[in-house]
Amino acid sequence: MSLAYLAQETVETTASGYGAIGYGLAAIGPGIGVGIVVGKAIEGMVRQPEMAGQVRTTMFLGIAFTEALALIGLVAGFIF
């Protein structure tokens, strides 16, 4: 094996690892966001139990929008 082939193989291996690191960093934000959304929803349900159904519906919408950010981060990792 030539030295140039080994250098090329090393560059390809390192470049693919950066995508995984980037997605890991991109998943931190939505993870924190989902935690905040669920925590505040539980807090709202405890304060006004009669509104629990509406708060739960809004919570699931908030979780869906927050998780969309994680999916966008995954797709961006494949694109770039």
Side-chain angles (χ1 to χ4, degrees), residues 40-60:
K40 293 296 183 178
I42 291 173
E43 185 179 324
M45 287 181 209
V46 168
R47 288 177 186 242
Q48 291 187 330
E50 67 275 1
M51 296 295 291
Q54 291 178 349
V55 172
R56 189 178 300 117
T57 303
T58 306
M59 177 189 72
F60 286 131

Side-chain angles (χ1 to χ4, degrees), residues 19-29:
I21 292 171
Y23 178 65
L25 291 174
I28 290 173

Side-chain angles (χ1 to χ4, degrees), residues 6-77:
L6 289 175
Q8 180 66 25
E9 193 70 28
T10 303
V11 168
E12 289 176 4
T13 303
T14 306
S16 67
Y18 290 140
I21 292 171
Y23 178 65
L25 291 174
I28 290 173
I32 293 170
V34 167
I36 290 171
V37 166
V38 171
K40 293 296 183 178
I42 291 173
E43 185 179 324
M45 287 181 209
V46 168
R47 288 177 186 242
Q48 291 187 330
E50 67 275 1
M51 296 295 291
Q54 291 178 349
V55 172
R56 189 178 300 117
T57 303
T58 306
M59 177 189 72
F60 286 131
L61 284 171
I63 290 172
F65 289 138
T66 307
E67 285 298 321
L69 294 175
L71 295 175
I72 290 170
L74 178 66
V75 171

